[in-house]
Amino acid sequence: MNSIKWLLGLIAINIVGLILITIYSAYYSFGTMLFGVHTAAAVKDFWNTEYLLGTIFIVCFNLLAIITAIVRYFKK
C-alpha cells in the first residue's frame, strides 16, 4: 500500500513537472513569433526544448526519487 502511494505521488509530480516544462517551452518558443520568427521554426524549437528539458527532468528526478527510496529502505 505504501509503495503504491509513493508511485502515485511520483507520477503526479512527473505530470506537473512536464506540464510546467510545456508551458515554459511554449512561452519561449511561440513568443518569438511576435518578433517575426516563422511558425515552422517556432514549432521545431518548441519540440527540441520539450524533448531536451523533459528528458532531463524525467531521468534526473526519477533517479533521485529512486535512490532516495532505496536509501530510506536500507536505513530502516
Side-chain angles (χ1 to χ4, degrees), residues 16-65:
V16 170
L18 289 175
I19 288 171
L20 292 175
I21 289 171
T22 301
I23 292 170
Y24 171 81
S25 298
Y27 177 75
Y28 282 103
S29 296
F30 297 120
T32 58
M33 290 172 55
L34 296 173
F35 301 107
V37 174
H38 195 269
T39 304
V43 170
K44 183 179 177 187
D45 185 42
F46 170 77
W47 284 113
N48 287 337
T49 306
E50 189 75 17
Y51 289 140
L52 179 68
L53 293 179
T55 303
I56 291 171
F57 171 75
I58 291 293
V59 169
C60 292
F61 179 75
N62 289 333
L63 190 64
L64 179 66

